[in-house]
Amino acid sequence: MPVPYASLDLVAAAPAGGASAPLRDFLVDGRALLHRLDEVDGVDAVSPLAADLPPTVLAEHAERLLLADGTRRVIHSCPDCDDPGCGAVTAVVERSGDDVVWRDLAWQTGPTVDPARDVYPGIGPYRFHGPAYRAVLHRLRAEPPGVPAAGPTPGSRPGTAPAPASSLPLAPPRAA
C-alpha cells in the first residue's frame, strides 16, 4: 500500500540549549519534525538549517536532500556539526516516481544504523509530492543568510501540500 502524502515546509524554531542563533526546522504535516522526534525519544539535535551557518552549508544540506538517491541523509544533526557519527537524525531519502520519500528515520551515532535499535517507531515514512518538496528546498537555498523562515508557506495546513512557490500542482489530498 502506498504511503499517503505528507506536507513539507520550513518553520522558524526556537534555539535549543541556550544557542543564540535562530533555527529553521522542517514542518511535516503542520508539526515541527524535532517536536515529533522529541516526543518519541528526547533528541539532542538541531536542524542543519541553523541561521548562523554559512550559506554554503545550507545549500549543501539542501542539495543532499534534493538528490533523493536512496542513501541515508542527515535531517537533523548534533548542535555542533553535521556529522552522523557525532549523533544525527537521518533518513533514507529516495524517489518514488516524481515523489520523494523519507523512510527509516533513525538516531545515528556511527557509520551505520541498526534498524532494530535506532529507528524511531511510528515516525514516517513521509511521502512528499515531488514538485512541492523541491520548491521548499529551493526556497531554502534562496533565503539570505541569517534569516530564518518566518513560518509555514501561506495556505499550508496539516495534511495538504504547501502552497506552491510557482504554478506547481498540489499533491493529492491525504487519505483520512
Side-chain angles (χ1 to χ4, degrees):
M1 174 181 236
V3 176
Y5 281 98
S7 65
L8 179 70
D9 213 332
L10 300 170
V11 66
S20 60
L23 307 173
R24 295 172 185 89
D25 191 10
F26 289 110
L27 193 69
V28 177
D29 283 343
R31 289 195 56 218
L33 186 56
L34 274 177
H35 290 274
R36 289 175 192 257
L37 298 170
D38 194 42
E39 288 171 359
V40 172
D41 182 30
V43 174
D44 183 23
V46 298
S47 169
L49 312 177
D52 64 340
L53 292 177
T56 56
V57 173
L58 293 175
E60 289 169 7
H61 184 68
E63 289 298 327
R64 287 189 299 265
L65 291 174
L66 282 166
L67 287 175
D69 58 3
T71 60
R72 187 163 286 283
R73 300 289 179 185
V74 172
I75 305 297
H76 293 294
S77 61
C78 88
D80 298 318
C81 67
D82 192 17
D83 178 8
C86 188
V89 176
T90 62
V92 174
V93 180
E94 62 189 5
R95 289 189 194 282
S96 177
D98 193 38
D99 299 333
V100 176
V101 176
W102 289 359
R103 65 173 174 81
D104 303 330
L105 277 81
W107 179 249
Q108 185 171 344
T109 57
T112 61
V113 166
D114 176 354
R117 182 191 69 216
D118 302 328
V119 171
Y120 287 99
I123 303 291
Y126 298 115
R127 179 186 199 93
F128 305 110
H129 185 63
Y133 176 86
R134 288 185 289 279
V136 167
L137 291 171
H138 286 299
R139 193 175 81 233
L140 172 66
R141 289 179 22 207
E143 287 180 1
V147 179
T153 303
S156 67
R157 63 185 192 279
T160 63
S166 63
S167 59
L168 299 173
L170 293 176
R174 290 184 61 196

